Amino acid sequence: MAGKKPTRIAVIGAGPIGLEAALRLRQLGAEVRVYEKGRIADHVRQWGHVVLFTPFAMNTTPAGILAIREENRHHVFPDPQQCISGHEFIRCYLEPLARTQWLRDCIQTNTQVVRIGRGQFLKEDLPGSRQRASGGFRLLLRQGEQELLEEADVVLDCSGTYSQHRWLGEGGIPALGEMEAQAHIRYNLDDICGSRAESYRGRTVMVIGAGYSAATAICALAELAEQDPATWTVWLTRREGPPIRRFPHDPLLERDRLAQQANRLAARGEGNVEHVPQAFVQAVEFLGQDKGFRLRARVQGKVRTWEVERLIAHVGYSPDTEIYRELQVHECYATLGPMRLAATLFSMTGDCLQAPAIGPDTLRNPEPNLYILGAKSYGRNSAFLLQTGFAQIETVLALLHQDGLISLR
Ligand SMILES: Cc1cc2nc3c(=O)[nH]c(=O)nc-3n(C[C@H](O)[C@H](O)[C@H](O)COP(=O)(O)OP(=O)(O)OC[C@H]3O[C@@H](n4cnc5c(N)ncnc54)[C@H](O)[C@@H]3O)c2cc1C
């Protein structure tokens, strides 16, 4: 792009996808700023005790491995086929990647992107027109108490969904009392057998949800019950039958092992786990620090009430769409992901390995030069895999090249 001002690219989030996107763009000579509201890979850090179900090779890219090797040829990577924990992933890949010559001077941690708008244009101006790109983006940032403004020509929103939980109540709305009790409910994954064991050991715990996070919690609580039989778990799910979905001949062995174990505990009542299917939560009351919660649910048409000491709600996450409220983003009515991509995902079977191939324009938004990538691009659909995000990055590079914003050398 000789003679042209370099394209300013803002990447929101220094998670696995934000870091990888920034690396590829820096290597192509783009001017990149990564804004991260916490520390490097802050979301992965929050579930760092969990073992990833995809092997190391599927969570990394050749470009990332090479960049780390160039920096430190003695760096030791895990076996490509090994499934490692989130903390190990950060230690042996994400942090070394962030420290490479390509990234170390372009990441601003403890910097939250609060809102993004367009210079000159309001949301309703020039609907879907590329002319909006002439305005550039304005980003309102927060660093501690301080607010500041930055500008960019391209924004890649890689901010994930893990910061925003969904609600427990029937129909996805807050159960009665849930908003008031929310600070005491665990929506994120606690390290039940590790740093948080004392909070769960010997307690009555209720777990709500039927995804892999719930399965992880159930297996950990059963392990605690082996150490202390006073640990009891009530597991509420909406559907009938085995709570965790399994896939025939699942090549992701770690994922299938987790599903099998959780389903077995539910079916046999082992590990002091009582599974209650077809349960729809109506009300939650926090009774006080030492007393726990009273929870009311409709179970097969009848109302049941429990008193439990701990409440874990693994009911999924939702993208923060407020951040681009002033931009022209066509959001999916079902998942809140960007519409074009969401439409291609409707046909998915639920197995994240079966992600459909997407055409290049699928990642475009009505708002020019705004791309939503990574876990956030799937909205509430939890079937996102890192390898899908890596493919998205390559697609966006091609689109930016096509638009004359970067040069693919
Ligand atoms: C428990 C768990 C296990 C998983 N296991 C696997 C697995 O085995 N294999 C696999 O392929 N996928 C797995 N996933 C799915 C997915 O790959 C991960 O969620 C992955 O972390 C997504 O990467 P990301 O970069 O898109 O988003 P995230 O990792 O969520 O990163 C987003 C980053 O953006 C930052 N951020 C958020 N908002 C802002 C803001 N406004 N301003 C600035 N920064 C912001 C966050 O602090 C965070 O660091 C798992 C997910 C979970 C929750």
Side-chain angles (χ1 to χ4, degrees):
M1 304 282 109
K4 261 180 104 177
K5 269 194 359 198
T7 302
R8 300 160 302 171
I9 302 183
V11 176
I12 310 176
I17 300 304
L19 288 174
E20 213 77 50
L23 171 73
R24 295 287 284 120
L25 285 160
R26 283 301 302 269
Q27 289 180 332
L28 293 169
E31 193 180 303
V32 181
R33 286 258 135 244
V34 182
Y35 302 111
E36 165 55 56
K37 76 171 175 187
R39 295 163 67 191
I40 299 295
D42 215 61
H43 286 168
V44 179
R45 216 174 275 281
Q46 290 172 42
W47 52 264
H49 57 284
V50 176
V51 174
L52 281 98
F53 53 76
T54 47
F56 184 68
M58 281 179 69
N59 310 328
T60 55
T61 65
I65 298 275
L66 192 64
I68 296 170
R69 281 230 167 92
E70 277 168 3
E71 200 73 26
N72 174 7
R73 62 194 175 87
H74 301 298
H75 186 81
V76 180
F77 292 105
D79 181 305
Q81 292 318 313
Q82 201 185 336
C83 288
I84 57 173
S85 72
H87 285 315
E88 286 170 282
F89 183 36
I90 292 175
R91 187 185 56 75
C92 69
Y93 187 74
L94 297 174
E95 275 180 346
L97 187 62
R99 284 196 298 267
T100 60
Q101 52 153 335
W102 302 106
L103 296 184
R104 60 179 165 246
D105 60 351
C106 74
I107 304 175
Q108 282 178 234
T109 50
N110 299 314
T111 305
Q112 182 185 1
V113 177
V114 181
R115 289 285 191 284
I116 320 163
R118 274 281 178 202
Q120 301 169 41
F121 302 116
L122 295 174
K123 186 179 179 78
E124 61 272 31
D125 294 338
L126 300 173
S129 165
R130 278 213 65 81
Q131 277 182 53
R132 286 177 63 84
S134 63
F137 290 105
R138 303 177 72 243
L139 291 94
L140 175 64
L141 309 180
R142 186 172 296 136
Q143 290 175 329
E145 300 289 290
Q146 205 191 350
E147 285 186 349
L148 55 151
L149 282 168
E150 290 283 353
E151 291 182 357
D153 305 304
V154 174
V155 171
L156 308 185
D157 184 353
C158 310
S159 61
T161 60
Y162 195 71
S163 323
Q164 233 172 246
H165 69 77
R166 294 174 65 179
W167 297 100
L168 270 182
E170 182 168 4
I173 62 174
L176 286 171
E178 185 182 355
M179 287 198 269
E180 205 181 319
Q182 122 172 252
H184 307 282
I185 301 171
R186 306 302 296 189
Y187 294 95
N188 289 350
L189 281 122
D190 260 349
D191 188 0
I192 290 171
C193 288
S195 60
R196 298 271 303 155
E198 283 323 302
S199 172
Y200 291 98
R201 199 190 307 280
R203 310 275 187 182
T204 311
V205 186
M206 178 165 276
V207 177
I208 302 171
Y212 294 103
S213 297
T216 303
I218 290 296
C219 295
L221 288 163
E223 199 179 317
L224 270 196
E226 269 179 32
Q227 297 163 19
D228 183 343
T231 315
W232 277 93
T233 305
V234 184
W235 186 9
L236 303 194
T237 59
R238 282 190 308 153
R239 280 188 301 270
E240 231 184 326
I244 307 296
R245 182 155 177 207
R246 289 181 62 202
F247 300 97
H249 315 294
D250 193 344
L252 296 177
L253 301 180
E254 186 60 27
R255 174 173 75 170
D256 197 49
R257 186 198 60 75
L258 182 65
Q260 259 190 71
Q261 194 187 344
N263 286 347
R264 196 173 51 239
L265 293 168
R268 298 191 190 159
E270 287 172 3
N272 290 353
V273 173
E274 180 199 347
H275 176 220
V276 182
Q278 293 181 274
F280 298 88
V281 179
Q282 308 295 316
V284 180
E285 189 184 350
F286 181 61
L287 304 170
Q289 274 316 337
D290 306 326
K291 298 190 182 122
F293 303 83
R294 182 177 298 123
L295 187 132
R296 195 172 77 234
R298 195 167 55 78
V299 181
Q300 294 168 29
K302 295 203 177 96
V303 175
R304 282 187 66 179
T305 305
W306 291 264
E307 286 199 4
V308 294
E309 291 168 283
R310 301 283 179 263
L311 180 53
I312 297 176
H314 287 331
V315 289
Y317 304 96
S318 192
D320 173 9
T321 54
E322 276 307 301
I323 192 173
Y324 42 63
R325 184 55 60 222
E326 297 311 316
L327 298 177
Q328 294 180 356
V329 178
H330 188 185
E331 288 166 21
C332 171
Y333 47 83
T335 67
L336 293 177
M339 187 64 224
R340 282 186 182 180
L341 177 59
T344 69
L345 298 177
F346 284 160
S347 61
M348 246 177 114
T349 58
D351 183 358
C352 45
L353 284 176
Q354 306 298 326
I358 55 160
D361 283 339
T362 313
L363 292 178
R364 285 197 195 272
N365 276 291
E367 186 68 60
N369 303 338
L370 170 75
Y371 294 96
I372 301 163
L373 305 180
K376 189 169 187 174
S377 70
Y378 271 41
R380 290 174 171 198
N381 179 337
S382 60
F384 174 80
L385 276 189
L386 290 168
Q387 63 172 15
T388 305
F390 301 149
Q392 289 177 342
I393 294 169
E394 298 308 316
T395 304
V396 167
L397 295 183
L399 291 173
L400 294 176
H401 174 71
Q402 190 181 315
D403 293 344
L405 292 164
I406 62 165
S407 170
L408 287 180
R409 285 176 272 178

